[in-house]
PDB file of all heavy atoms in Angstrom:
ATOM      1  N   GLY A 375     130.847 109.134  62.189  1.00 98.00           N
ATOM      2  CA  GLY A 375     132.283 109.437  62.243  1.00 98.00           C
ATOM      3  C   GLY A 375     132.945 109.238  63.596  1.00 98.00           C
ATOM      4  O   GLY A 375     134.167 109.243  63.696  1.00 98.00           O
ATOM      5  N   VAL A 376     132.143 109.083  64.655  1.00 98.00           N
ATOM      6  CA  VAL A 376     132.734 108.984  65.998  1.00 98.00           C
ATOM      7  C   VAL A 376     133.125 107.547  66.324  1.00 98.00           C
ATOM      8  O   VAL A 376     132.628 106.616  65.711  1.00 98.00           O
ATOM      9  CB  VAL A 376     131.758 109.512  67.080  1.00 98.00           C
ATOM     10  CG1 VAL A 376     131.415 110.972  66.816  1.00 98.00           C
ATOM     11  CG2 VAL A 376     130.497 108.657  67.133  1.00 98.00           C
ATOM     12  N   GLY A 377     134.046 107.407  67.275  1.00 98.00           N
ATOM     13  CA  GLY A 377     134.417 106.051  67.679  1.00 98.00           C
ATOM     14  C   GLY A 377     135.779 105.982  68.342  1.00 98.00           C
ATOM     15  O   GLY A 377     136.326 107.007  68.773  1.00 98.00           O
ATOM     16  N   PHE A 378     136.279 104.773  68.409  1.00 98.00           N
ATOM     17  CA  PHE A 378     137.562 104.509  69.080  1.00 98.00           C
ATOM     18  C   PHE A 378     138.437 103.624  68.204  1.00 98.00           C
ATOM     19  O   PHE A 378     137.936 102.780  67.466  1.00 98.00           O
ATOM     20  CB  PHE A 378     137.323 103.776  70.408  1.00 98.00           C
ATOM     21  CG  PHE A 378     136.429 104.495  71.367  1.00 98.00           C
ATOM     22  CD1 PHE A 378     135.066 104.222  71.407  1.00 98.00           C
ATOM     23  CD2 PHE A 378     136.931 105.462  72.237  1.00 98.00           C
ATOM     24  CE1 PHE A 378     134.222 104.879  72.286  1.00 98.00           C
ATOM     25  CE2 PHE A 378     136.087 106.128  73.127  1.00 98.00           C
ATOM     26  CZ  PHE A 378     134.734 105.834  73.154  1.00 98.00           C
ATOM     27  N   GLU A 379     139.771 103.853  68.325  1.00 98.00           N
ATOM     28  CA  GLU A 379     140.722 102.853  67.858  1.00 98.00           C
ATOM     29  C   GLU A 379     141.520 102.435  69.079  1.00 98.00           C
ATOM     30  O   GLU A 379     142.200 103.259  69.696  1.00 98.00           O
ATOM     31  CB  GLU A 379     141.646 103.419  66.771  1.00 98.00           C
ATOM     32  CG  GLU A 379     141.003 103.318  65.407  1.00 98.00           C
ATOM     33  CD  GLU A 379     141.849 103.939  64.307  1.00 98.00           C
ATOM     34  OE1 GLU A 379     142.761 104.743  64.626  1.00 98.00           O
ATOM     35  OE2 GLU A 379     141.600 103.630  63.140  1.00 98.00           O
ATOM     36  N   VAL A 380     141.392 101.171  69.456  1.00 98.00           N
ATOM     37  CA  VAL A 380     141.958 100.710  70.721  1.00 98.00           C
ATOM     38  C   VAL A 380     143.270  99.979  70.464  1.00 98.00           C
ATOM     39  O   VAL A 380     143.310  99.006  69.705  1.00 98.00           O
ATOM     40  CB  VAL A 380     140.963  99.777  71.438  1.00 98.00           C
ATOM     41  CG1 VAL A 380     141.467  99.456  72.840  1.00 98.00           C
ATOM     42  CG2 VAL A 380     139.582 100.398  71.498  1.00 98.00           C
ATOM     43  N   ASP A 381     144.327 100.487  71.083  1.00 97.00           N
ATOM     44  CA  ASP A 381     145.621  99.824  70.947  1.00 97.00           C
ATOM     45  C   ASP A 381     145.819  98.751  72.005  1.00 97.00           C
ATOM     46  O   ASP A 381     146.472  97.741  71.762  1.00 97.00           O
ATOM     47  CB  ASP A 381     146.753 100.859  71.050  1.00 97.00           C
ATOM     48  CG  ASP A 381     146.665 101.873  69.919  1.00 97.00           C
ATOM     49  OD1 ASP A 381     146.689 101.434  68.755  1.00 97.00           O
ATOM     50  OD2 ASP A 381     146.529 103.080  70.205  1.00 97.00           O
ATOM     51  N   ALA A 382     145.265  99.009  73.185  1.00 97.00           N
ATOM     52  CA  ALA A 382     145.471  98.068  74.296  1.00 97.00           C
ATOM     53  C   ALA A 382     144.751  96.751  74.016  1.00 97.00           C
ATOM     54  O   ALA A 382     143.609  96.751  73.545  1.00 97.00           O
ATOM     55  CB  ALA A 382     144.937  98.687  75.594  1.00 97.00           C
ATOM     56  N   ARG A 383     145.437  95.642  74.295  1.00 96.00           N
ATOM     57  CA  ARG A 383     144.856  94.310  74.138  1.00 96.00           C
ATOM     58  C   ARG A 383     145.022  93.559  75.454  1.00 96.00           C
ATOM     59  O   ARG A 383     146.035  93.705  76.131  1.00 96.00           O
ATOM     60  CB  ARG A 383     145.573  93.506  73.036  1.00 96.00           C
ATOM     61  CG  ARG A 383     145.662  94.158  71.676  1.00 96.00           C
ATOM     62  CD  ARG A 383     144.314  94.361  71.029  1.00 96.00           C
ATOM     63  NE  ARG A 383     143.577  93.117  70.812  1.00 96.00           N
ATOM     64  CZ  ARG A 383     142.263  93.083  70.568  1.00 96.00           C
ATOM     65  NH1 ARG A 383     141.558  94.207  70.567  1.00 96.00           N
ATOM     66  NH2 ARG A 383     141.657  91.941  70.358  1.00 96.00           N
ATOM     67  N   PRO A 384     144.070  92.722  75.833  1.00 96.00           N
ATOM     68  CA  PRO A 384     144.221  91.955  77.073  1.00 96.00           C
ATOM     69  C   PRO A 384     145.524  91.169  77.092  1.00 96.00           C
ATOM     70  O   PRO A 384     145.892  90.539  76.094  1.00 96.00           O
ATOM     71  CB  PRO A 384     143.007  91.014  77.049  1.00 96.00           C
ATOM     72  CG  PRO A 384     141.999  91.706  76.205  1.00 96.00           C
ATOM     73  CD  PRO A 384     142.778  92.454  75.171  1.00 96.00           C
TER      74      PRO A 384
END
Side-chain angles (χ1 to χ4, degrees):
Chain A
V376 300
F378 303 94
E379 275 177 342
V380 188
D381 298 303
R383 306 295 300 163

